[in-house]
Amino acid sequence: MRKKIVAGNWKMNHDLAQTEMFLVDLKKQVLPEEVTVMIAPAFTNLNHAFNSLREHPVTVAAQNMHQNNNGAFTGEVSAEMLKSLGVETVIIGHSERRAQFNETNEILSEKVKTAIANKMTVIFCVGEELEERKQNNHLKLIESQLTEGVFQQPETAWKNIVIAYEPVWAIGTGETATPQQAQEMHQHIRTVIANKYSKSTANDVSILYGGSVKPNNASEIFNQPDVDGGLIGGASLEVESFMKIVNAF
Ligand code: PGA
């Protein structure tokens, strides 16, 4: 079933004390029942966040994981390790991972495979650079990121896959896609999924928008028919702004 989701991607922000401060404040908030609220703290704070939120309807997600379940991969964290904490949701393919850590579609496809095999929910990110949009290549590019990254999965896996469309030029820049640009791409993503799998799978998948979503622009983006919520960076670091976005539907 298609869900409304607001997920906070904290990136490399908030140490343990800051995480705790956020959690104390978050737990005082009344969350709308129809929205799935997620936060993705750093690996070092996942255990604390997960345990702290046990009684609260907030999903704790990881920002990344390795494609192997264990082995000689110094500095990496596996799906099994995340699951052992209780963490069952993972962001895969964020553009910062693609650009700064050389994560190719091929590697991302392996990560998705491992996450799904471990019965995790995947938030799979796609997004084009400004140059690709200027060359009018953005629709094709997103299609190929989906084809190479997630279309190896059987249709049944899609109940555990969420797509996040994050135009690279809008991330952390203060520049957002217009609601029309977001809607065009989200509709395109749904069409591509329908062509590969089925209309019902395409209709059921939640597609989030990410890229400078703020309290003042969240509503108009979330109101688009094919936008099911957001993956929020900067504005997810403070409870006040995060909650405004959670309540923006
Ligand atoms: P931003 O980041 O909201 O700070 O632009 C979004 C993201 O990278 O997920």
Side-chain angles (χ1 to χ4, degrees):
M1 259 310 283
R2 201 159 150 186
K3 286 187 201 150
K4 290 179 178 163
I5 301 172
V6 175
N9 172 17
W10 289 3
K11 310 189 180 185
M12 201 170 71
N13 294 297
H14 283 349
D15 62 17
L16 182 58
Q18 292 165 320
T19 299
E20 174 58 12
M21 264 166 57
F22 183 101
L23 295 170
V24 167
D25 196 0
L26 182 67
K27 287 193 277 189
K28 292 183 195 147
Q29 309 298 319
V30 179
L31 301 171
E33 263 175 38
E34 72 282 9
V35 181
T36 301
V37 178
M38 303 186 179
I39 56 167
F43 283 135
T44 50
N45 297 320
L46 284 176
N47 192 30
H48 179 66
F50 183 84
N51 286 320
S52 169
L53 291 169
R54 257 178 209 284
E55 309 295 321
H56 291 263
V58 176
T59 301
V60 175
Q63 299 174 17
N64 178 35
M65 52 164 257
H66 195 265
Q67 60 272 32
N68 284 79
N69 277 325
N70 45 53
F73 303 101
T74 302
E76 293 292 321
V77 171
S78 72
E80 287 181 354
M81 292 169 182
L82 296 172
K83 293 244 350 202
S84 74
L85 304 181
V87 172
E88 301 197 319
T89 303
V90 60
I91 300 170
I92 291 180
H94 191 280
S95 60
E96 287 152 16
R97 301 289 323 166
R98 292 174 186 263
Q100 298 172 36
F101 301 94
N102 304 321
E103 294 195 357
T104 59
N105 286 331
E106 197 185 341
I107 291 172
L108 297 175
S109 160
E110 288 178 37
K111 291 191 177 203
V112 171
K113 187 174 159 206
T114 305
I116 295 294
N118 280 283
K119 300 196 167 48
M120 296 184 78
T121 293
V122 171
I123 301 177
F124 186 77
C125 303
V126 295
E128 82 283 358
E129 306 267 354
L130 187 56
E131 205 42 46
E132 288 149 348
R133 181 168 278 270
K134 280 189 185 153
Q135 288 168 7
N136 205 22
N137 209 17
H138 49 296
L139 297 176
K140 270 218 179 93
L141 194 269
I142 300 306
E143 182 166 353
S144 71
Q145 289 178 342
L146 291 168
T147 305
E148 292 173 36
V150 270
F151 281 4
Q152 291 73 26
Q153 293 308 309
E155 189 159 13
T156 49
W158 279 78
K159 61 181 188 308
N160 292 319
I161 297 175
V162 171
I163 300 296
Y165 168 57
E166 299 205 306
V168 179
W169 47 271
I171 295 178
T173 58
E175 193 172 337
T176 350
T178 63
Q180 293 71 30
Q181 285 172 323
Q183 170 55 24
E184 180 197 35
M185 185 60 85
H186 284 224
Q187 193 175 29
H188 174 65
I189 290 170
R190 236 179 264 288
T191 304
V192 169
I193 295 170
N195 291 343
K196 165 73 184 173
Y197 296 95
S198 65
K199 269 214 168 109
S200 72
T201 288
N203 201 38
D204 279 354
V205 64
S206 297
I207 308 178
L208 315 183
Y209 169 81
S212 298
V213 176
K214 307 287 177 204
N216 64 357
N217 61 21
S219 277
E220 54 174 7
I221 297 172
F222 293 177
N223 277 335
Q224 298 302 309
D226 286 298
V227 177
D228 304 305
L231 183 56
I232 321 298
S236 73
L237 293 171
E238 304 293 333
V239 171
E240 192 186 345
S241 53
F242 187 53
M243 282 306 300
K244 284 186 182 150
I245 296 172
V246 167
N247 286 309
F249 288 93

